[in-house]
Amino acid sequence: MNLGDAMRTLPVRIATLAVAVASLMASLTASLIIASPAFAADDLSSAVRAAFASDPLYAAAAAQARGGDARRRQADALWRPQASLSVGGGIGGARSTMGGASFSAPGFPDTTGASFRAGVDVGPYMRWVLQASQPIYGAERSANARQLAAQAALADIRLELAAQDLRLRVVQTWFDMLAAEDALALLDRQRAAVVRALEEAQERYDAGDAPVTELREAQARRDGLQAEWLAGQAQLRLQRAALEDLTGRPMAEPNRPGAPAFAAAAAAGPSLDDWSRRAVDASPMRRLFDLAEQMATDELAKLRGWTSPTVDLVARASDERLRGDGPWGDGRITASSQAIGVQVNVPLYTGGMRDAQRDEAASALERVRAENADGRRTIRRQVRAAWEGLTTGIARIDALRRSLASARTRLHATELGREAGARTTLDVLNAQAELFAAERALQQAQYALLVDRARLAAAAGELDDAAIERIGGR
């Protein structure tokens, strides 16, 4: 090469060197980013445990469940004895007159038409009343107790659903983060391959064995991959931030699922009909629908029970005293009473209010029953979607593995063809891009398989800690 040719290719050589240096620095940066402790767990199980300790939605459901325990105590208290004490005092006055009375006392003749008068103008006043009651019968009270117990059970089921939802959110976010890491690592490898192709194109161009178009095509591919790599970095940061939000604290490099996890996810399991029956029979969502229907039924029973009597055992003691100067001298007024017995209350009429409320409750019960039926269909649809995703994903992974093997074969053949002059650098770059795309598709399909397995377990209410261990295990 003469001096003129050297001067002519100097800018390209400088650019190629800059590309190589930039690629090396970017690769080092990517490695540091991937290895940095920017997310909240070593493995999927520890990520789930950390999420339970920090997720506000689960904390809210747990607080609601604690409130449910209080409702159980309220339901029990409706049938326990009730007692109250009322005490009062102050300054008061009173006058009482009784006429036409009969009077009899030792040493006095029997007297009829007697009159008695007593009065206090101003004097100290004191009164106390002690009352206790024990409910014996009441249809409305029974319905209220059932409603309170159902509300407590409802809070427990919502906590169970919150746990299932939290596990599923962590699984989805965990594998999204792993997919973002893998995608960035693939982009690093692809950029390195393109840089090598660019250097080879430069050498072939310098030697006069390749046209300048091959050099320009390699440069364009490098620039495009740089843009993709920057976008991949941003996506990885977002996914790590999402996982950190769920778990509440950053920790170390994650452990990726191993062959046992993929084998367990791909293993033949129950049929779709079996999964649907399990979900409809035992899933927390189905129990939630049933409780809502039960509560609506109890509300109607409570309003219908308003027209039935209530029976209570009641005991009462009271004392009332007033003393002071009155129109007839020093006055003292005292009244004491004690009673125990059965009290029966029979509602008669409320102006039509309870009838209207009963009609409203009947309509609400009809609506809840329809929603319950639709909810069961929704559960079946969720199970079917997860099951179809799982079974399709197994077949898709097999196809992608074959596609990956074919892409490797094609790349090798294309590289040999370029050495023989039958293929161009662009052909090699395209073959490399197809290989990396096949690798990425296979990685994403494998993660999607594990997520679908988690969705299927969640739909049936079976996404527990053991299932998480199987999904994220090595």
Side-chain angles (χ1 to χ4, degrees):
M1 180 184 298
N2 56 34
L3 181 61
D5 291 336
M7 294 300 294
R8 178 174 55 81
T9 60
L10 182 60
V12 176
R13 292 179 178 276
I14 293 174
T16 303
L17 179 61
V19 169
V21 173
S23 178
L24 177 60
M25 295 300 296
S27 299
L28 290 173
T29 303
S31 300
L32 290 174
I33 291 175
I34 292 174
S36 63
F39 43 88
D42 292 325
D43 54 33
L44 182 58
S45 295
S46 59
V48 170
R49 289 193 295 271
F52 273 108
S54 65
D55 185 64
L57 293 178
Y58 182 78
Q64 190 176 29
R66 290 191 294 273
D69 292 335
R71 289 186 179 272
R72 286 191 184 90
R73 297 197 302 272
Q74 293 174 38
D76 294 337
L78 286 175
W79 292 103
R80 289 175 181 162
Q82 308 288 319
S84 64
L85 174 64
S86 174
V87 179
I91 303 297
R95 291 192 181 190
S96 64
T97 301
M98 181 182 295
S102 175
F103 175 78
S104 176
F108 290 90
D110 292 342
T111 303
T112 59
S115 297
F116 297 93
R117 295 185 299 275
V120 174
D121 290 334
V122 178
Y125 167 78
M126 182 177 180
R127 178 177 181 270
W128 62 265
V129 178
L130 176 63
Q131 180 167 318
S133 65
Q134 169 63 57
I136 298 175
Y137 171 79
E140 183 177 6
R141 188 185 296 268
S142 296
N144 272 330
R146 289 195 301 271
Q147 278 189 317
L148 287 168
Q151 290 170 1
L154 196 69
D156 291 339
I157 293 175
R158 284 175 174 162
L159 179 62
E160 189 177 348
L161 281 172
Q164 295 277 317
D165 175 72
L166 179 57
R167 290 188 182 101
L168 189 56
R169 283 189 285 133
V170 174
V171 167
Q172 182 68 68
T173 307
W174 177 265
F175 287 118
D176 285 346
M177 186 271 295
L178 292 184
E181 279 195 356
D182 290 346
L184 192 61
L186 280 174
L187 284 171
D188 278 335
R189 289 170 50 201
Q190 191 173 0
R191 287 194 317 155
V194 169
V195 168
R196 288 195 300 270
L198 179 61
E199 293 172 349
E200 292 173 2
Q202 182 68 61
E203 292 175 358
R204 289 163 60 86
Y205 173 73
D206 292 343
D209 294 334
V212 71
T213 53
E214 288 197 9
L215 184 62
R216 298 295 180 258
E217 286 166 353
Q219 290 172 339
R221 187 65 58 90
R222 177 207 62 196
D223 295 339
L225 285 175
Q226 178 66 18
E228 288 185 38
W229 186 83
L230 292 173
Q233 274 194 318
Q235 181 65 21
L236 179 56
R237 287 193 296 268
L238 288 174
Q239 294 300 335
R240 284 179 171 166
L243 186 61
E244 185 173 344
D245 287 342
L246 274 177
T247 54
R249 55 187 176 88
M251 286 182 65
E253 176 76 11
N255 294 323
R256 283 169 168 73
F262 294 113
S271 66
L272 175 59
D273 291 339
D274 290 338
W275 276 111
S276 296
R277 280 194 297 270
R278 286 160 65 171
V280 170
D281 291 343
S283 72
M285 187 62 69
R286 195 274 304 167
R287 286 184 277 129
L288 190 70
F289 293 144
D290 286 349
L291 269 179
E293 183 173 339
Q294 177 186 329
M295 291 172 63
T297 302
D298 290 335
E299 179 66 18
L300 181 59
K302 180 175 68 176
L303 293 170
R304 285 174 175 168
W306 179 86
T307 58
S308 65
T310 62
V311 182
D312 299 273
L313 180 65
V314 178
R316 186 176 185 275
S318 66
D319 185 82
E320 187 173 1
R321 299 174 185 271
L322 177 64
R323 182 173 182 175
D325 294 331
W328 302 285
D330 185 17
R332 292 185 299 276
I333 299 177
T334 302
S336 298
S337 66
Q338 300 84 32
I340 183 170
V342 176
Q343 177 177 297
V344 179
N345 293 321
V346 181
L348 297 177
Y349 183 63
T350 60
M353 172 64 74
R354 283 299 177 111
D355 291 337
Q357 290 176 335
R358 187 170 56 247
D359 293 341
E360 180 184 5
S363 299
L365 176 58
E366 184 178 355
R367 172 184 57 81
V368 170
R369 283 174 175 167
E371 291 175 347
N372 195 344
D374 181 69
R376 290 170 183 262
R377 284 195 291 265
T378 300
I379 291 173
R380 292 189 184 95
R381 286 195 298 270
Q382 290 174 345
V383 170
R384 177 177 289 275
W387 190 84
E388 291 288 353
L390 190 63
T391 53
T392 303
I394 294 171
R396 183 167 177 262
I397 286 174
D398 289 338
L400 287 171
R401 284 172 177 160
R402 292 192 296 271
S403 174
L404 179 59
S406 298
R408 289 196 180 103
T409 301
R410 181 187 175 189
L411 176 59
H412 180 65
T414 305
E415 288 175 340
L416 292 177
R418 184 185 59 180
E419 293 175 2
R423 291 289 188 268
T424 65
T425 299
L426 180 60
D427 294 330
V428 173
L429 293 175
N430 289 336
Q432 287 175 348
E434 289 184 9
L435 175 61
F436 289 120
E439 288 188 43
R440 183 171 183 179
L442 179 58
Q443 290 171 348
Q444 291 176 338
Q446 288 174 328
Y447 292 146
L449 184 72
L450 297 175
V451 173
D452 283 329
R453 173 62 74 180
R455 286 200 181 106
L456 187 57
E462 300 176 3
L463 187 59
D464 53 14
D465 291 338
I468 292 295
E469 287 283 353
R470 289 190 298 269
I471 291 169
R474 298 180 62 81

